Amino acid sequence: MYLILGFFAYFLISKTLFPLKLILEELKILQKKADLSLRLKPHGGKDEFDDLSRSFNVLLENIQHSVENIKQFTADASHELKTPLTIIQGEIQLAKKVDITKEELEKTLKIIDKEQKNLQDIIENFLLLAKLDKEVFHNKKAFLDKVVFDVIEQNLSHLEKKKLELKLDIEENLEIQFDEKYLFIVLSNLLSNAIKYTQSGYIKLLAKKENKKIVFMIEDSGEGIKKEDINKIFERFFRVEKARTSSMNGLGLGLSIVKKICDRFNYEITVKSIENKGSTFILKEK
């Protein structure tokens, strides 16, 4: 009797754990092949083991996506870091010439200074992203109108150089739950982006309280964004194809930094854009 019960129990346990055994065998095969495009096969049981297979597949998909991003980033970073370094190296060789004139030397030093600043910007972006991934923020307050005017002052020469019209609709004393330093980074990124991609026309800045919530908006009459790119622009290291093939600098970190900061301070950022007509970025309390 006990022997029969024992055999029956062994049979039930073996049958119950059989899908798990298959999953473990498949995982060993995946590990051996080291191919992130492979997935576990569904067993059609519609039970916990099938849920486990789906969870593993989601995990593998996320890992694959991360690896692809890293590969793309490595290619972009190599190019972005190589370009200023190559220019600096060339200018140093030029400066070593015995017959170089004072004017040529001054021009060379200006180019070297500009390129080393580009390198600093790239490195600072890396450090900021790493900090945002780890830093714990405490409740802080800032005046939105003050930060807006600080950002305008920083970018005024670029606006004047392109002769862009600046339209302002800024309410005073708009106190928001935001660290002033990080708010400055967000607005500075948005304004510098608007200036970069607007060759003529205007840039409009709006800051007000709407339905008891603070709203910031920046609108431009620039190049706009393709419809298929709008949902990707806040991803790390993503740059639209036009930026990849033009002389515009950057690793595509600016807007990902903006999104990361906004998430940390419980703000939502959205974008509306029409290609060749302009873009509007809207920042709202959640």
Side-chain angles (χ1 to χ4, degrees):
M1 180 67 178
Y2 289 111
L3 184 63
I4 295 172
L5 287 174
F7 176 78
F8 186 66
Y10 175 79
F11 175 77
L12 285 177
I13 292 170
S14 297
K15 187 177 180 181
T16 303
L17 295 180
F18 181 71
L20 181 60
K21 185 180 178 182
L22 290 177
I23 291 171
L24 291 173
E25 287 175 356
E26 283 188 64
L27 285 173
K28 286 178 182 178
I29 294 171
L30 294 183
Q31 185 180 20
K32 187 176 180 180
K33 291 186 176 180
D35 184 351
L36 289 174
S37 66
L38 297 176
R39 298 290 182 267
L40 294 175
K41 298 175 183 177
H43 299 287
K46 296 182 180 180
D47 52 18
E48 290 81 359
F49 295 113
D50 233 22
D51 290 340
L52 182 62
S53 294
R54 282 193 292 269
S55 297
F56 269 116
N57 285 339
V58 171
L59 178 62
L60 289 168
E61 190 172 335
N62 290 337
I63 293 171
Q64 183 184 12
H65 182 67
S66 297
V67 169
E68 287 171 355
N69 275 346
I70 290 169
K71 285 180 179 178
Q72 181 64 65
F73 159 70
T74 303
D76 285 348
S78 297
H79 177 268
E80 295 292 339
L81 292 170
K82 185 178 179 181
T83 301
L85 286 172
T86 302
I87 294 171
I88 289 171
Q89 186 179 23
E91 294 299 324
I92 289 173
Q93 293 300 319
L94 182 64
K96 287 179 179 180
K97 288 172 62 178
V98 178
D99 57 345
I100 190 171
T101 65
K102 183 181 178 181
E103 289 77 16
E104 287 174 332
L105 182 59
E106 287 177 353
K107 183 180 178 182
T108 294
L109 290 175
K110 283 182 181 178
I111 293 172
I112 290 173
D113 184 53
K114 178 186 175 184
E115 295 304 325
Q116 68 88 16
K117 285 177 180 175
N118 285 340
L119 285 173
Q120 283 183 358
D121 288 342
I122 292 170
I123 293 167
E124 283 173 8
N125 275 334
F126 290 151
L127 294 174
L128 182 57
L129 274 175
K131 191 176 181 181
L132 285 169
D133 285 334
K134 297 177 182 178
E135 190 171 2
V136 177
F137 296 109
H138 300 286
N139 288 332
K140 291 187 178 182
K141 292 183 179 181
F143 284 97
L144 178 57
D145 49 316
K146 174 188 177 299
V147 179
V148 168
F149 287 113
D150 287 344
V151 169
I152 291 171
E153 185 178 357
Q154 183 196 53
N155 290 275
L156 197 56
S157 61
H158 302 296
L159 285 161
E160 291 173 346
K161 187 177 180 180
K162 283 192 167 183
K163 297 180 181 179
L164 298 174
E165 181 186 358
L166 183 62
K167 301 179 181 181
L168 298 177
D169 184 3
I170 310 295
E171 287 186 18
E172 295 182 353
N173 301 318
L174 289 173
E175 190 177 48
I176 64 173
Q177 295 283 343
F178 220 116
D179 185 293
E180 185 173 314
K181 176 181 68 175
Y182 286 99
L183 181 60
F184 183 89
I185 292 170
V186 167
L187 303 191
S188 182
N189 266 289
L190 292 176
L191 181 56
S192 62
N193 248 20
I195 295 170
K196 182 189 292 186
Y197 293 103
T198 305
Q199 307 310 320
S200 63
Y202 71 90
I203 291 175
K204 180 180 179 180
L205 301 177
L206 176 146
K208 65 178 182 179
K209 185 168 280 189
E210 190 177 84
N211 299 324
K212 297 183 179 181
K213 290 189 176 182
I214 291 175
V215 177
F216 173 78
M217 183 186 79
I218 178 165
E219 176 186 321
D220 65 62
S221 58
E223 299 170 11
I225 306 165
K226 288 182 179 180
K227 189 176 181 180
E228 60 266 28
D229 289 336
I230 288 178
N231 293 330
K232 303 175 186 175
I233 60 171
F234 294 112
E235 293 179 9
R236 287 186 182 184
F237 315 124
F238 176 80
R239 289 188 298 165
V240 295
E241 287 304 313
K242 190 168 186 178
R244 288 184 185 277
T245 56
S246 74
S247 60
M248 294 176 182
N249 293 323
L251 287 171
L253 295 176
L255 288 177
S256 67
I257 289 173
V258 167
K259 179 71 164 60
K260 188 78 173 179
I261 294 174
C262 290
D263 287 344
R264 286 299 179 93
F265 288 97
N266 203 33
Y267 270 75
E268 178 186 23
I269 182 162
T270 55
V271 58
K272 298 176 182 177
S273 187
I274 299 175
E275 196 174 4
N276 299 320
K277 289 190 177 181
S279 302
T280 302
F281 285 82
I282 304 165
L283 193 66
K284 283 184 180 181
E285 287 182 275
K286 289 183 180 177

